[in-house]
Amino acid sequence: MEEVLLEIFDKLLKSYGPRKWWPARTRFEVIVGAILVQNVSWKNAKKAIDNLKHHGLLSPEAIISVKEKTLATYIISSRFYNQKARKLKAFCKYLEKEYCGSISKMFANDTDDLRKELLSINGIGKETADSILLYAGRKLSFVSDSYTKRFIERYNLLKGELNYDIIRSFFTNNLPEDLYLYNEYHALIVHHCYSTCKSIPLCNECPVKSISSKNMCAFGSK
DNA sequence: GTCCAGGGCCTAC
DNA sequence: GTAGGCCATGGA
């Protein structure tokens, strides 16, 4: 299966080019983006990030200081803004309490330990935690999401139940431990599913189509 | 007007 | 343990 996944990766990369994720200037901005993009388009999330930036609120200290209600008004475009304001504050308070506000100290942790910590914060689930680890922390943690599930279903890469952990294990068990590969693979899947190949059945131009039909595997096979 | 986007939490069963 | 409701914008 590793060969198949690498072949798909090469085709996606050749078709779309490197996505150069995450589109952010700082690691904190990646984390804020990972929370704000939950169940909303990147465009809407980006608007909210820019708004925070414009009002000098793109730092842990600023987010802790500002009132939750006020914070919410700056991120309205990101949808579910009251909840997301609470989530941003929850993360910043955790960062302040556990690491004196230092992102570097936080990422000095062991990946698995930090993943457990992040998952214990209100508002950070598996996808958000893995996005933070991979794209802000540059740690080896594959990101799965609804697009990844759709991708696997569409190309029959895996049979049976497809929950977050199964999909994530499928990629981590069948890919070499390579940060660049993890980074680009997830970004390319999102790009492929979102902007280019939304329809089922597959479009004729689909770069993955030619190698998809013959390869099916049961979970765990390599 | 309708649909759906780079989720996660809470509650009821 | 898990299905389903809730949150509640903006662009296509």
Side-chain angles (χ1 to χ4, degrees):
Chain A
M1 187 43 70
E2 180 172 324
E3 279 179 25
V4 176
L5 288 185
L6 290 176
E7 193 180 347
I8 290 174
F9 177 77
D10 285 341
K11 289 203 168 210
L12 291 172
L13 190 61
K14 273 180 189 144
S15 296
Y16 305 127
R19 307 317 304 161
K20 297 173 182 171
W21 271 24
W22 188 285
R25 291 175 67 183
T26 66
R27 297 199 281 182
F28 184 69
E29 191 177 325
V30 174
I31 295 168
V32 169
I35 292 170
L36 292 183
V37 80
Q38 289 171 359
N39 208 32
V40 74
S41 65
W42 175 250
K43 271 187 181 177
N44 280 26
K46 179 72 164 52
K47 267 190 180 181
I49 295 166
D50 290 343
N51 211 21
L52 289 178
K53 205 180 290 184
H54 183 254
H55 289 90
L57 288 171
L58 208 51
S59 71
E61 313 83 67
I63 287 178
I64 287 173
S65 302
V66 72
K67 284 185 179 175
E68 192 173 304
K69 284 260 180 188
T70 310
L71 182 60
T73 64
Y74 293 122
I75 59 171
I76 285 176
S77 67
S78 73
R79 201 181 175 202
F80 312 136
Y81 45 85
N82 289 319
Q83 285 194 353
K84 287 180 179 177
R86 190 161 67 244
K87 291 176 183 184
L88 287 178
K89 275 189 159 287
F91 172 79
C92 292
K93 282 176 186 170
Y94 149 82
L95 186 68
E96 177 61 33
K97 187 182 171 206
E98 302 297 328
Y99 302 103
C100 303
S102 167
I103 298 271
S104 302
K105 282 182 188 169
M106 183 182 81
F107 283 126
N109 258 318
D110 170 76
T111 304
D112 290 339
D113 292 341
L114 181 55
R115 189 171 192 267
K116 283 176 194 158
E117 269 190 29
L118 291 171
L119 288 174
S120 72
I121 302 168
N122 187 284
I124 297 185
K126 289 173 183 175
E127 184 186 335
T128 307
D130 289 329
S131 296
I132 290 171
L133 288 167
L134 180 63
Y135 292 108
R138 299 178 197 93
K139 286 177 171 289
L140 213 58
S141 194
F142 198 87
V143 181
S144 176
D145 64 354
S146 53
Y147 284 138
T148 315
K149 186 181 180 193
R150 199 185 304 175
F151 189 82
I152 283 182
E153 286 171 338
R154 183 176 296 163
Y155 302 115
N156 290 322
L157 294 170
L158 192 55
K159 284 188 272 188
E161 187 198 352
L162 294 179
N163 63 34
Y164 189 92
D165 294 327
I166 289 173
I167 293 171
R168 183 169 181 261
S169 299
F170 171 67
F171 280 96
T172 49
N173 290 339
N174 291 296
L175 284 178
E177 293 188 346
D178 184 309
L179 206 50
Y180 172 76
L181 191 62
Y182 276 35
N183 183 319
E184 283 294 346
Y185 216 135
H186 173 69
L188 284 165
I189 287 174
V190 172
H191 181 75
H192 177 66
C193 292
Y194 178 67
S195 63
T196 313
C197 197
K198 278 188 175 179
S199 60
I200 297 175
L202 312 176
C203 64
N204 290 330
E205 294 77 27
C206 180
V208 183
K209 187 182 177 186
S210 60
I211 54 171
S212 63
S213 58
K214 61 185 178 186
N215 294 297
M216 291 181 72
C217 79
F219 174 60
S221 66
K222 293 188 179 181

